[in-house]
Amino acid sequence: MVKPLLSAFSLIIGLTGCNTLSPSKQAQVDTMNICQKVEALINSAPSGFDPLKGAKVSTPFLTSWQAKAHLVGEQCQISNYSTGSTGYHCEQNFSSDNLASQVFDTSKRLIESCLSTEWKAVQKKNTLQFSKAAPSPTLSLSKHDTFDKNKPWQVKLEISQ
């Protein structure tokens, strides 16, 4: 039981920088608590998450950047969508529904503890959406199955303006 919980907590919230962060900025990031990290993501949404953009990754269909902030897993990205909006998204795949559920539940509690009472949560099936009066970003936390045979469960967090 301890190992899944440790895995869940290690996957939940961790703000890391790519090589472009200065040592002083990295030290500042390392001392942030969980809620300060969530707040940094929310506050950077109106600017297209500019302060959290790392290395640029371009494809013919999508422009995105590696994110310096990782809320679920370690493969977070910031993407410009064809709609003109910019979104932040992270996901982590799991081999069991039980572990994915633990990570989802822990993430939900942590996010809820960081948001003020202005934020309202609406749950539909395995997706929980946090929002408040416009103009503010929307946070969407979901758990769903995937086509990956080895890790068929995924927890995903998306933040969009």
Side-chain angles (χ1 to χ4, degrees):
M1 184 63 161
V2 173
K3 186 176 180 183
L5 288 178
L6 285 175
S7 297
F9 284 111
S10 69
L11 295 170
I12 304 297
I13 305 279
L15 189 60
T16 61
C18 64
N19 295 334
T20 60
L21 284 181
S22 69
S24 63
K25 191 67 164 175
Q26 184 63 53
Q28 179 185 2
V29 166
D30 291 342
T31 61
M32 292 173 79
N33 66 39
I34 291 169
C35 290
Q36 289 170 325
K37 294 171 186 177
V38 170
E39 185 178 342
L41 281 162
I42 291 169
N43 290 340
S44 68
S47 70
F49 303 95
D50 283 340
L52 300 174
K53 288 179 179 174
K56 189 173 184 177
V57 181
S58 293
T59 68
F61 304 106
L62 183 68
T63 300
S64 57
W65 296 263
Q66 294 174 352
K68 296 176 185 176
H70 301 279
L71 291 176
V72 175
E74 296 292 328
Q75 301 296 322
C76 302
Q77 289 191 332
I78 297 164
S79 300
N80 283 344
Y81 301 119
S82 60
T83 60
S85 65
T86 301
Y88 167 90
H89 51 96
C90 294
E91 55 267 339
Q92 179 72 36
N93 288 9
F94 299 93
S95 58
S96 76
D97 181 21
N98 186 41
L99 184 54
S101 293
Q102 288 176 0
V103 170
F104 177 87
D105 292 341
T106 302
S107 298
K108 174 186 170 185
R109 284 191 302 276
L110 289 171
I111 291 169
E112 286 175 333
S113 73
C114 295
L115 298 176
S116 70
T117 56
E118 296 174 316
W119 289 85
K120 303 299 178 209
V122 175
Q123 186 153 0
K124 295 179 183 176
K125 293 190 180 185
N126 290 328
T127 300
L128 183 63
Q129 191 168 26
F130 298 93
S131 60
K132 68 177 189 173
S136 69
T138 300
L139 287 78
S140 179
L141 180 66
S142 62
K143 182 193 79 135
H144 53 89
D145 55 343
T146 71
F147 294 112
D148 186 328
K149 291 180 182 181
N150 296 319
K151 294 183 176 182
W153 294 98
Q154 184 178 83
V155 174
K156 183 174 187 174
L157 176 76
E158 297 175 277
I159 301 174
S160 58
Q161 185 64 32

